Amino acid sequence: FDFCQAEGKKRPSENLGQVLFGERIEPSPYRFTFNKKETCKSVCTKTYDTRKPEDKQKLDFLKKSMLLNYQHHWIVDNMPVTWCYDVEDGQRFCNPGFPIGCYITEDGRPKDACVINSEFHEKDTFYIFNHVDIKIYYHIVENEALGARLVAAKLEPKSYKHTHPDNPDCSGVPMDISNKANGEVKIAYTYSVSFEEEKNIRWASRWDYILESMPHTHIQWFSIMNSLVIVLFLSGMVAMIMLRTLHKDIARYNQMDSTEDAQEEFGWKLVHGDIFRPPRKGMLLSVFLGSGTQILIMTFVTLFFACLGFLSPANRGALMTCAVVLWVLLGTPAGYVAARFYKSFGGEKWKTNVLLTSFLCPGIVFADFFIMNLILWGEGSSAAIPFGTLVAILALWFCISVPLTFIGAYFGFKKNAIEHPVRTNQIPRQIPEQSFYTKPLPGIIMGGILPFGCIFIQLFFILNSIWSHQMYYMFGFLFLVFIILVITCSEATILLCYFHLCAE
């Protein structure tokens, strides 16, 4: 965007998580001095001549961004500068960004932020927020030599058509850009800043006012109740099946008088000689089990640390950095699990197994990531990951993750294969005619809907916070839902296995 640039200032360095998520922090041309009040200070003036194609292109880009409600995100002392406004039910909502501008449609309807000011009324016109009133709240630190600390930064976007851009007075009509305007358009950017002492906010809890106004919490309890009901329902079914089956078996064994009766098998016992026959795609199954173990432990540890408050939103990019580093370091359990299962399936190609565990799942994710990055590079987006970071990620993968996977696999193959409790028959049994629900597709749908039902509301919030740059901080809820998800998946698996065994 063609906004005011800070000349000759160095960009702050970002951590791995910020780079991967496309967060780029740029230095700002707005200059503050503590406790020094500024009113209507000029930053810069941009002039667009619509007769010049490059100027017209810049102005059109600006209009398009206002139409799509693009937002500025500013940081002061690692705190997001928020725009607070009243919403319905007398609540105050604090948004960690503020819009570039807004649009009044051809039939005179104000879109998005245009509702804040009744002066925005010209039809088919864009209004740009070229002035900000910033208010910085601080508290004086007593009995320490630190002086004062910033506890909140709030702003109000305004729009002024400055008649004298060199000597602005911040009054008068809003800065309108008509959709059909031709000739020269001058936009002067200005700001005012004031300081106010705020004794009630502690420095440690200065993020609370942003988090409190996020409208998530009350729906979360609904989502967790929903998940718990599903889990209870599944647990009930699993318990019922176990009790019924075991009860029948024990009753049957108690009735047995002669030894001939004991030979009669029935139901799921008929297939005991075929249960431990190695699967057709044993290699793939073992590789996926290894990678799954790696992801499961990574998720558990990351969420556990987040619950303890190590990965707060104030620490930008910490969550992603933590997840990536943990994933890299957890190559050993992946290699070990894959090797143990592959060996128990009677597999011989151990080199292929180790290589697939190291490269198959990460390779698919990396290829996807790389293709998306090529598109972002082609578009010249700031979210594109620099070449150096790509090399660093590859180095983490090849130099740390892969060797650790090899070490895990070495120990996995050294151990004896897992002992099976029953022998496998030489000749496979004939599988009887199958009922509808044991076929693959209904099984996939049944096994997928239940876990998804547990997490879909939580998923909605996570994706929302990633795409609309909200803060996601409900790690307690997320950890609980993660545990519920693991239980649901296990129970759904037990149920489906049981149904398949009963259908021989």
Side-chain angles (χ1 to χ4, degrees):
F1 286 108
D2 188 35
F3 294 125
C4 305
Q5 300 287 325
E7 296 300 319
K9 295 280 286 180
K10 244 182 78 181
R11 283 190 48 215
S13 59
E14 282 117 358
N15 60 31
L16 183 65
Q18 285 172 293
V19 175
L20 291 181
F21 257 128
E23 282 190 21
R24 303 283 178 273
I25 300 175
E26 296 282 347
S28 143
Y30 294 79
R31 295 274 165 270
F32 301 164
T33 312
F34 180 66
N35 242 343
K36 183 182 170 197
K37 195 176 172 188
E38 300 275 8
T39 40
C40 209
K41 201 168 155 64
S42 173
V43 187
C44 70
T45 304
K46 295 277 178 185
T47 309
Y48 303 100
D49 190 345
T50 49
R51 294 181 291 269
K52 292 183 186 163
E54 68 266 23
D55 277 14
K56 188 173 175 1
Q57 194 184 358
K58 280 180 183 173
L59 196 62
D60 287 346
F61 188 53
L62 204 58
K63 286 180 186 171
K64 189 180 170 191
S65 70
M66 288 188 254
L67 203 59
L68 296 171
N69 196 20
Y70 267 59
Q71 309 258 332
H72 289 278
H73 290 277
W74 290 5
I75 309 170
V76 173
D77 185 35
N78 202 25
M79 273 287 286
V81 182
T82 56
W83 175 34
C84 295
Y85 49 87
D86 293 317
V87 285
E88 65 267 11
D89 315 333
Q91 279 185 311
R92 239 179 130 54
F93 181 71
C94 289
N95 188 9
F98 69 96
I100 289 177
C102 62
Y103 177 58
I104 304 277
T105 57
E106 286 174 13
D107 51 6
R109 271 187 316 113
K111 281 188 67 177
D112 300 317
C114 274
V115 294
I116 63 169
N117 191 338
S118 56
E119 287 184 25
F120 299 163
H121 51 66
E122 298 281 329
K123 292 178 182 177
D124 195 18
T125 300
F126 291 94
Y127 287 95
I128 187 162
F129 293 128
N130 59 340
H131 174 85
V132 283
D133 279 338
I134 304 174
K135 197 166 207 175
I136 291 183
Y137 297 87
Y138 65 92
H139 73 196
I140 305 261
V141 184
E142 281 143 31
N143 66 36
E144 278 183 53
L146 281 176
R149 279 173 164 174
L150 184 153
V151 288
K154 297 181 183 177
L155 63 73
E156 248 179 79
K158 302 267 178 76
S159 180
Y160 294 121
K161 193 167 200 165
H162 298 296
T163 36
H164 309 291
D166 310 323
N167 187 14
D169 58 350
C170 295
S171 60
V173 294
M175 177 72 214
D176 54 340
I177 304 168
S178 172
N179 222 353
K180 303 180 179 64
N182 278 320
E184 204 173 59
V185 177
K186 269 193 174 186
I187 304 173
Y189 292 93
T190 53
Y191 69 97
S192 300
V193 61
S194 60
F195 291 82
E196 190 177 306
E197 192 175 349
E198 171 63 81
K199 291 195 169 83
N200 302 331
I201 305 177
R202 287 179 43 243
W203 191 77
S205 55
R206 61 184 192 155
W207 281 71
D208 289 5
Y209 82 98
I210 304 171
L211 305 183
E212 274 163 14
S213 72
M214 301 261 164
H216 296 167
T217 13
H218 54 282
I219 311 173
Q220 299 270 349
W221 284 114
F222 166 70
S223 94
I224 285 186
M225 289 326 286
N226 163 46
S227 315
L228 282 172
V229 167
I230 293 176
V231 169
L232 287 172
F233 159 72
L234 278 173
S235 308
M237 277 185 73
V238 171
M240 209 170 73
I241 285 170
M242 296 295 170
L243 285 171
R244 239 185 73 201
T245 326
L246 292 171
H247 186 70
K248 263 191 190 166
D249 286 358
I250 291 164
R252 193 169 290 205
Y253 285 133
N254 289 344
Q255 285 169 4
M256 283 184 191
D257 305 319
S258 61
T259 46
E260 287 94 74
D261 292 353
Q263 297 309 312
E264 268 187 62
E265 303 283 5
F266 60 92
W268 52 271
K269 294 207 173 154
L270 289 166
V271 286
H272 74 78
D274 295 271
I275 291 288
F276 293 107
R277 193 178 302 289
R280 277 191 305 244
K281 301 254 190 327
M283 172 73 87
L284 266 184
L285 179 61
S286 62
V287 166
F288 284 148
L289 281 167
S291 296
T293 311
Q294 189 174 7
I295 290 170
L296 186 77
I297 302 173
M298 174 198 89
T299 314
F300 183 83
V301 178
T302 307
L303 286 179
F304 184 70
F305 278 140
C307 278
L308 297 179
F310 290 125
L311 309 174
S312 83
N315 194 353
R316 281 161 216 288
L319 190 73
M320 190 69 180
T321 310
C322 176
V324 171
V325 169
L326 275 171
W327 185 87
V328 166
L329 296 178
L330 285 167
T332 313
Y336 179 80
V337 169
R340 278 310 293 274
F341 276 99
Y342 186 61
K343 193 172 179 181
S344 76
F345 296 154
E348 299 290 323
K349 303 178 180 162
W350 62 273
K351 289 175 188 157
T352 317
N353 180 265
V354 183
L355 287 170
L356 277 177
T357 310
S358 305
F359 295 114
L360 181 67
C361 293
I364 292 169
V365 173
F366 185 79
D368 185 29
F369 177 71
F370 186 70
I371 291 165
M372 281 168 59
N373 206 41
L374 281 180
I375 296 168
L376 290 172
W377 260 340
E379 291 288 331
S381 162
S382 66
I385 284 148
F387 183 69
T389 310
L390 274 179
V391 173
I393 293 171
L394 284 171
L396 283 173
W397 180 16
F398 286 112
C399 306
I400 301 175
S401 183
V402 175
L404 285 175
T405 312
F406 273 77
I407 292 167
Y410 169 75
F411 284 111
F413 279 117
K414 248 178 72 166
K415 285 189 92 106
N416 295 331
I418 300 165
E419 288 282 312
H420 299 317
V422 286
R423 271 188 320 116
T424 311
N425 294 342
Q426 292 283 305
I427 302 158
R429 271 179 69 87
Q430 183 127 21
I431 297 172
E433 191 56 45
Q434 287 300 301
S435 58
F436 144 80
Y437 64 85
T438 53
K439 292 199 168 73
L441 199 67
I444 290 169
I445 293 170
M446 272 168 47
I449 277 180
L450 289 167
F452 179 72
C454 278
I455 60 160
F456 78 98
I457 296 183
Q458 203 63 33
L459 210 57
F460 166 76
F461 286 122
I462 297 168
L463 293 176
N464 221 5
S465 63
I466 290 175
W467 295 118
S468 57
H469 281 282
Q470 300 289 358
M471 314 286 162
Y472 188 86
Y473 61 96
M474 301 200 172
F475 298 115
F477 277 127
L478 194 58
F479 192 60
L480 197 59
V481 172
F482 171 66
I483 301 294
I484 291 175
L485 176 69
V486 171
I487 296 169
T488 315
C489 287
S490 338
E491 290 181 343
T493 311
I494 293 170
L495 281 176
L496 289 171
C497 273
Y498 179 74
F499 290 149
H500 282 150
L501 289 177
C502 286
E504 303 180 34

